[in-house]
Amino acid sequence: MATTAQLFEEPFDADEYIERLAWRTPGGGSKGGAEAFDPKRLLEEFENHIEELKQLDEKLQRRVEKLEHQCHREAKEFAHKVQDLQRSNQVAFQHFQELDEHISYVATKVCHLGDQLEGVNTPRQRAVEAQRLMTYFNEFLDGELRSDVFHNPEKIKEAADIIQKLHLIAQELPFDRFADVKAKIASKYHDLERQLIQEFTAAQRRGEIGRMREVAAVLLHFKGYAHCVDVYIKQCQEAHVKEKLDGTRHSDAEQYLKNLYDLYSRTTALAAKLTEFNLGSDKHTFLSKLIKNIFSCYLESYIDMEKDYLRNRSAMILQRYYDSKNHQKRPIGGGSIQELKERIRQRTNLPLGPSIDTHGETFLSQEVVVNLLQETRHAFERCNRLSDPSDLPKNAFSIFLLLVEHLCVDHIDYALEIGLSAIPSADAKNANLYFLDVVQQANTIFHLFDKQFNDHLMPLISSSPKLTECLHKKKETIEQMEVKLDTGIDRTLNCMVGQMKHILATEQKKTDFRPEDENNVMIQYTTACSKVCAYVSRQVDRVRKSMDGKNVDTVLMELGVRFHRLIHEHLQQYGYSSMGGMLAICDVAEYRRCAKDFRVPLVLQLFDTLHALCNLLVVAPDNLKQVCSGEQLTNLDRNLLHAFVQLRLDYRPSRLGRHFS
């Protein structure tokens, strides 16, 4: 049976079960093996096994029936136990209800007894309290406070309770009989109220929240409780403001000013929102006073801090720039002989020594200018927010003066001085004229300076007497720099003319206008003319890039007039054959074409007249009088016309001079 039980291992498979049984039977295997297949033995084994299975089934069935019977018996026993427990629980619940009813009855009796005791005790307590208050009232009536409670700081809470009740009682007493005692009680009332507020403030500063809560609970019954709230808010703000500002006040001026501006702006914004609530008829005055109490010690010294910071910051920005250029600033306005020579050289064309070589550096930086203007803009914004309205124009003007000092004087004016020193003399050869670059950058800076003046300074001073002073300072500063710009432009134009003169002197040959072979001239204009025109065109472009507005026309007109004067004087240095005169006319025509680039009518008119004068070099003698009477020459001085005619190689006084008699 044990062997049979092993064949019923899970999971059970009938086919596999038969195979395993046959395999375990000797002679039961069908394929190979130690013994041959024996069907009878296998059948016998199957029959025996079937009998064993029947016996096993009967045994298991008996066991199942036994277990079922036992299960039914235990189920009945458990049901009886559950019924007994239910009956016990019902009994316990009934006892609980009875106990609850008894407790309720006792509680009702206790409450009734308590009410009776309270009815008896309350009048007694009131009588005791009234007696106690009468005792303290008598002390005020006698004018001598003998009780320790009024003198011991540790009993201030008890004293506050007493004086608050006495104060209420005193309000009901007639004034004529109890005026003196009422005044004493009121005085002590206010004194204790003040002490409580001071204690609350001290506890808040020490961070003792429990003590603050205790004092606030006592003050709740006093009229000054609202002041306690004000003190709490003020202390919270002062503690926050002090933490933010005092740490950077002497160590980091920039962060200090930023924090002050931020805190003050946020506080005023909060005050503006608070005005929407019902805070009383004088809410604006109350809030303004509160803000002033918090920030007064910082606002009093604000403008001095602002100016010191702006002065140091601007100086650092400039010094950092010059250090990046490896440049040591030269003192301007000193009294040395060298500086005197430099100033004379700036105002004349006298050769008092070589000019300074700046290697093309203008010593003007838009980055520096933007940084200075940005710092000043922030200063104006802080000034507008943090200055008292009566001091705002004065403070804004002082900031403007610092901007003038560092931007206009220390940077722009210094660059102009260096630029003037770097302008070569008029007779210098192949000079690099960097002053026009200085002019270009200075114009750009002037526009930025003027924009900040209008956008950020004008709104702060427009309705004050400082407006006139600011406008005068601005005008004076710009005029001083314009004088130096005009001087530099004038000397730069002299250098341009000097370069043209050098080109003409080196490139123009006397034989250009009296060729040996009159019939074999193949050029349209001379080399000197070509090089001069190319040089002039480059300078015209530079002037247009360096300036704007009417300044372009003004400078180009001056350059054009000097250009014309140079060519006019240059042409009078030569004698002209017939073909040479034609070449001169061609040169002047090319000069006139170059003059069109100036886009200045006067310059073009001058070269038109010069072109007409050159016609006198080639016209037939009999037609001279007619040409001189032409539209372009009729208003010219006769001596000038005669001087041009005298340049002709075929000039004879007896032959050509009679046409001017």
Side-chain angles (χ1 to χ4, degrees), residues 513 571 576 579-589 591 611 614 617:
F513 301 114
L571 292 175
Y576 299 88
M579 183 55 64
M582 292 299 296
L583 277 175
I585 292 175
C586 291
D587 278 4
V588 173
Y591 291 137
H611 188 271
C614 289
L617 301 176

Side-chain angles (χ1 to χ4, degrees), residues 401-470:
L401 291 180
L402 289 175
L403 176 64
V404 171
E405 176 186 349
H406 292 97
L407 175 62
C408 299
V409 177
D410 291 348
H411 192 54
I412 303 177
D413 190 72
Y414 177 75
L416 293 178
E417 290 283 355
I418 296 296
L420 287 171
S421 302
I423 298 177
S425 60
D427 56 354
K429 307 299 188 296
N430 299 319
N432 290 319
L433 305 178
Y434 293 114
F435 192 79
L436 289 180
D437 297 331
V438 177
V439 174
Q440 179 184 7
Q441 295 187 34
N443 283 335
T444 302
I445 295 172
F446 283 155
H447 290 309
L448 296 174
F449 173 75
D450 190 62
K451 177 175 175 57
Q452 181 162 96
F453 183 90
N454 294 325
D455 293 349
H456 296 95
L457 178 60
M458 285 293 290
L460 307 183
I461 61 171
S462 57
S463 58
S464 74
K466 284 291 181 181
L467 175 61
T468 303
E469 195 172 350
C470 283

Side-chain angles (χ1 to χ4, degrees), residues 2 19 22 132 182 232 240 266 327 335 381 445 509 517 620 633:
E19 288 292 335
R132 189 169 66 98
K182 290 177 71 172
Y232 175 74
H240 179 68
R266 289 163 55 191
H327 175 74
E381 291 174 351
I445 295 172
K509 300 178 176 58
D517 187 355
L633 301 180

Side-chain angles (χ1 to χ4, degrees), residues 122-140:
T122 299
R124 179 180 175 279
Q125 286 182 340
R126 289 177 179 174
V128 172
E129 180 69 15
Q131 182 183 10
R132 189 169 66 98
L133 290 175
M134 289 175 64
T135 302
Y136 294 131
F137 185 83
N138 287 334
E139 293 184 11
F140 280 98

Side-chain angles (χ1 to χ4, degrees), residues 351-529:
L352 298 179
S355 60
I356 298 174
D357 187 3
T358 61
H359 303 287
E361 179 60 58
T362 62
F363 291 104
L364 286 174
S365 168
Q366 287 197 24
E367 181 181 357
V368 169
V369 173
V370 169
N371 289 337
L372 292 175
L373 292 177
Q374 185 176 12
E375 293 291 344
T376 309
R377 177 173 63 83
H378 292 325
F380 281 137
E381 291 174 351
R382 291 191 290 264
C383 177
N384 185 31
R385 176 68 67 180
L386 302 176
S387 295
D388 187 88
S390 60
D391 296 330
L392 177 58
K394 178 184 66 176
N395 293 345
F397 180 65
S398 64
I399 292 175
F400 173 68
L401 291 180
L402 289 175
L403 176 64
V404 171
E405 176 186 349
H406 292 97
L407 175 62
C408 299
V409 177
D410 291 348
H411 192 54
I412 303 177
D413 190 72
Y414 177 75
L416 293 178
E417 290 283 355
I418 296 296
L420 287 171
S421 302
I423 298 177
S425 60
D427 56 354
K429 307 299 188 296
N430 299 319
N432 290 319
L433 305 178
Y434 293 114
F435 192 79
L436 289 180
D437 297 331
V438 177
V439 174
Q440 179 184 7
Q441 295 187 34
N443 283 335
T444 302
I445 295 172
F446 283 155
H447 290 309
L448 296 174
F449 173 75
D450 190 62
K451 177 175 175 57
Q452 181 162 96
F453 183 90
N454 294 325
D455 293 349
H456 296 95
L457 178 60
M458 285 293 290
L460 307 183
I461 61 171
S462 57
S463 58
S464 74
K466 284 291 181 181
L467 175 61
T468 303
E469 195 172 350
C470 283
L471 291 173
H472 175 73
K473 182 63 178 179
K474 175 189 173 186
K475 180 181 179 183
E476 179 185 36
T477 302
I478 291 180
E479 285 179 349
Q480 290 175 354
M481 289 187 286
E482 284 181 344
V483 169
K484 295 183 179 181
L485 286 171
D486 291 342
T487 302
I489 292 172
D490 180 73
R491 294 182 56 220
T492 299
L493 295 181
N494 286 339
C495 290
M496 291 180 183
V497 174
Q499 185 63 25
M500 298 180 209
K501 187 180 295 185
H502 173 69
I503 294 173
L504 292 173
T506 56
E507 299 294 336
Q508 196 83 72
K509 300 178 176 58
K510 292 186 177 182
T511 57
D512 286 345
F513 301 114
R514 51 173 68 180
E516 297 178 359
D517 187 355
E518 292 280 333
N519 297 320
N520 193 22
V521 177
M522 305 298 295
I523 60 175
Q524 295 180 347
Y525 41 79
T526 64
T527 303
C529 171

Side-chain angles (χ1 to χ4, degrees), residues 185-252:
I185 292 175
S187 175
K188 189 62 177 178
Y189 177 90
H190 294 302
D191 182 56
L192 279 174
E193 185 180 58
R194 178 181 53 80
Q195 292 182 36
L196 287 169
I197 292 176
Q198 290 178 349
E199 176 62 21
F200 180 85
T201 303
Q204 184 178 5
R205 288 175 177 170
R206 295 192 300 267
E208 298 177 359
I209 305 299
R211 181 59 176 166
M212 291 170 58
R213 185 184 297 110
E214 181 181 349
V215 175
V218 177
L219 276 169
L220 181 62
H221 304 289
F222 281 77
K223 294 180 179 179
Y225 180 72
H227 187 60
C228 175
V229 177
D230 296 340
V231 168
Y232 175 74
I233 296 174
K234 179 182 176 182
Q235 287 293 321
C236 288
Q237 290 177 326
E238 286 182 349
H240 179 68
V241 169
K242 187 175 182 180
E243 180 183 355
K244 283 284 188 180
L245 297 180
D246 288 1
T248 57
R249 190 169 190 175
H250 303 292
S251 60
D252 190 346

Side-chain angles (χ1 to χ4, degrees), residues 136 139-140 143-148 150-151 188:
Y136 294 131
E139 293 184 11
F140 280 98
E144 182 180 358
L145 300 179
R146 297 177 296 276
S147 298
D148 180 62
F150 294 118
H151 303 287
K188 189 62 177 178

